[in-house]
Amino acid sequence: MKLLVLNGPNLNLLGTREPAVYGSLTLAEVERLVREQAARHGANVDFRQSNHEGELVTWVQEARGKFDVILLNAGAYTHTSVALRDAIVAAGVPTIEIHLSNIHAREEFRHRSLLAPVCVGQISGFGANSYVLAVEAAVKVKVKS
Ligand code: DQA
């Protein structure tokens, strides 16, 4: 099984960015946790980060036929990006939405996700463990062929 893990804007700053909200692990450390969990299931991981909406859109588009599941922490684009939502639908690759923080317990503008309705599900509020739980969910997603 091939997993594409995409991280959106500002997630490159994990470790120093608002640690009370996002925890103290760096993105490289989160990547290591994801790889360890995926390896337990014999799954392959491609792990990427971009601050650019268009690049994330392109990566989602290109996942079609190459990856079984996308794990997506779109950061702030979760709340704004019709383009990412359309790309998820167009690609047709089952996508799991991830958030380190519980977006529903924060500011009102974070409560709405434009992506959630087109994702298999959302994992939010477990810190770096959200990613580990998403790997668990991904290996159980029924893959369309
Ligand atoms: C986030 C939540 C978003 O609201 C925020 O813009 C982020 C990170 C999270 O992982 O908790 O950048 O996606």
Side-chain angles (χ1 to χ4, degrees), residues 9 11 17 22 73 75-76 78-79 98-101 103 106 110:
L11 292 166
R17 175 193 184 200
Y22 297 117
N73 185 350
T78 304
H79 318 295
I98 302 175
H99 300 286
L100 296 146
S101 63
I103 58 172
R106 299 182 61 196
R110 294 185 206 275

Side-chain angles (χ1 to χ4, degrees), residues 38-104:
R40 289 188 188 106
H41 296 283
N44 238 289
V45 173
D46 191 330
F47 193 99
R48 307 179 194 170
Q49 188 274 333
S50 177
N51 290 326
H52 302 278
E53 184 177 11
E55 188 161 40
L56 293 162
V57 166
T58 299
W59 286 342
V60 170
Q61 288 178 4
E62 290 173 351
R64 189 185 176 87
K66 296 200 188 97
F67 292 93
D68 298 300
V69 183
I70 299 171
L71 282 60
L72 175 62
N73 185 350
Y77 291 140
T78 304
H79 318 295
T80 62
S81 182
V82 176
L84 258 180
R85 176 186 172 128
D86 287 351
I88 292 166
V89 174
V93 179
T95 299
I96 297 171
E97 179 178 336
I98 302 175
H99 300 286
L100 296 146
S101 63
N102 178 356
I103 58 172
H104 304 286

Side-chain angles (χ1 to χ4, degrees), residues 124-138:
S124 178
F126 299 95
N129 248 327
S130 290
Y131 283 75
V132 175
L133 293 167
V135 171
E136 279 305 301

Side-chain angles (χ1 to χ4, degrees), residues 1 4 12 30 37 42 53 78 83 88 111-112 124:
M1 172 170 254
L4 176 61
N12 54 312
V30 172
Q37 193 66 11
E53 184 177 11
T78 304
I88 292 166
H111 295 181
R112 188 179 66 147
S124 178

Side-chain angles (χ1 to χ4, degrees), residues 7 10-36 47 49 73 100-101 126-132:
N7 295 279
N10 300 308
L11 292 166
N12 54 312
L13 301 179
L14 283 185
T16 55
R17 175 193 184 200
E18 299 180 78
V21 177
Y22 297 117
S24 54
L25 294 191
T26 63
L27 191 60
E29 288 165 336
V30 172
E31 176 176 355
R32 189 170 48 78
L33 292 178
V34 166
R35 288 191 182 284
E36 282 171 7
F47 193 99
Q49 188 274 333
N73 185 350
L100 296 146
S101 63
F126 299 95
N129 248 327
S130 290
Y131 283 75
V132 175

